[in-house]
Amino acid sequence: NKLPMQQRIIYWRSLRCCHGNSADAQSSLTRNRHELRLVSKESLMWHPGHIHKGRKRINQKLAAVDAFVEVHDARIPITGRARLFEDSRAARPHALVLNKADLVAPSARASWKRFMEEREGPSSRVFHCSLRTSSAELGRTLTSLMSGLLQLASQFRPDKREFNIMIAGVPNVGKSSLINALRTYHSGKKAAARVGKLAGVTRVVGERILVCQDPPVYVLDSPGILDPEFKDDIGNMLKLGACGCMDLNQIDSQVIADYLLHLLNVRGERSYVKLYDLEGPVTDVRDLLAGICRKHRLVQAHRNFHTGQLVHGPNLVAGAQALLRHFNQGLLGRLVLDQLPSDLPADPPLPFAYSKGAAAKLHP
Ligand SMILES: Nc1nc2c(ncn2[C@@H]2O[C@H](COP(=O)(O)OP(=O)(O)OP(=O)(O)O)[C@@H](O)[C@H]2O)c(=O)[nH]1
Ligand SMILES: [Mg+2]
């Protein structure tokens, strides 16, 4: 279809923009978001049955493993980590891999590593890892991860000749990708674990996978786990959603997009303006999504009930999903969504709440 998109689209919201980078513009961007958005819990609920079964299975298998690797997203080092793993951490050699470090600004990594090492305690090792980096750098990370773990594991059980490692974490953080990388790097063998873009690819604790021959090291892949309590905190849900730790086809991606826009504005990250050819920063997510739909020609048609005429308009759901995809590709800036307690000023309170009661508490 050669028609320019503008002609096919009858209705576009006009973009209400705040121009410039002045302090006034910045404060109006964050102030405007102080009207509260009430979000229903159900719109962000994703807790499929395989997660529940996976938790049980991980628990059963834990007794037989020599070391435990928790993989988490480097953009949310604190948020969403399952409590199930805390016990495993105390009982055996443990490493925390903050994966997808390519999506975090290099300047933020050192302070987060220090903070997390202190938080995890001396029996844990903390690594930043990116599977989207040079093979030399990835090789160095994988070597220090494995040698550190095996050293701890052989102190723990000196008579051991082969090692079994459990790899676990929240959904879509790169657990299976890490197993494949370890296997290819240490034994030259091809990938053995299934990987995918959406959360919920690995659904059962599978057979153990050989990643290294000398000494023999086997790993167990596991389904991503979310604590049932994760839904008690809307901030957690929004962050996990933005990082792709929930299946974005099953939750309201426009709510997550709204949170993400708020965060980008609050942190002064404006790359979205250029990326989507906007006139300036926006505060209303519908304006942002309309801009994305226009740029990427995301259109949907519906028939007018009274006239029977076909009306074309922006496909805001597809726009929200594109925004989240771009964020997870690092196109919208490389942010850590959590904040170090020492970081000042802290992000303003989230302009989201579940209920009117919560709204009154946030904004009396
Ligand atoms: N940017 C970036 N993406 C990564 C990295 N590691 C993995 N991914 C991507 O993250 C997505 C999820 O990877 P998986 O290995 O399937 O993640 P998982 O934790 O096993 O996911 P579940 O099995 O669904 O719990 C895939 O699209 C990977 O390509 C990384 O270091 N950086
Ligand atoms: Mg997996």
Side-chain angles (χ1 to χ4, degrees), residues 34-52:
H34 275 233
E35 8 161 320
L36 215 100
R37 174 163 181 165
L38 291 177
V39 178
S40 84
K41 246 184 194 181
E42 285 66 34
S43 67
L44 296 180
M45 198 69 89
W46 180 72
H47 205 263
H50 79 260
I51 290 191
H52 181 64

Side-chain angles (χ1 to χ4, degrees), residues 172 174-177 193-196 201-203 221-224:
N172 205 37
K175 301 177 294 297
S176 306
S177 306
R194 207 158 75 84
V195 165
V201 170
T202 309
R203 302 183 90 81
D221 196 4
S222 63

Side-chain angles (χ1 to χ4, degrees), residues 134-145:
S134 68
S135 49
E137 195 183 327
L138 178 60
R140 276 195 294 277
T141 310
L142 297 181
T143 307
S144 63
L145 168 67

Side-chain angles (χ1 to χ4, degrees), residues 71 99-103 129-132 169-178 194-203 221-225 328-329:
V71 184
N99 194 35
K100 304 198 180 184
D102 50 300
L103 299 176
C129 174
S130 167
L131 303 177
R132 302 261 164 92
V170 298
N172 205 37
V173 286
K175 301 177 294 297
S176 306
S177 306
L178 177 67
R194 207 158 75 84
V195 165
K197 286 198 178 112
L198 286 176
V201 170
T202 309
R203 302 183 90 81
D221 196 4
S222 63
I225 297 298
N328 283 292
Q329 290 164 354

Side-chain angles (χ1 to χ4, degrees), residues 40-73:
S40 84
K41 246 184 194 181
E42 285 66 34
S43 67
L44 296 180
M45 198 69 89
W46 180 72
H47 205 263
H50 79 260
I51 290 191
H52 181 64
K53 283 192 203 133
R55 286 169 63 84
K56 276 195 178 161
R57 202 82 185 108
I58 289 174
N59 244 335
Q60 288 164 355
K61 295 256 177 182
L62 268 176
V65 303
D66 305 299
F68 184 80
V69 176
E70 181 182 351
V71 184
H72 202 65
D73 192 308

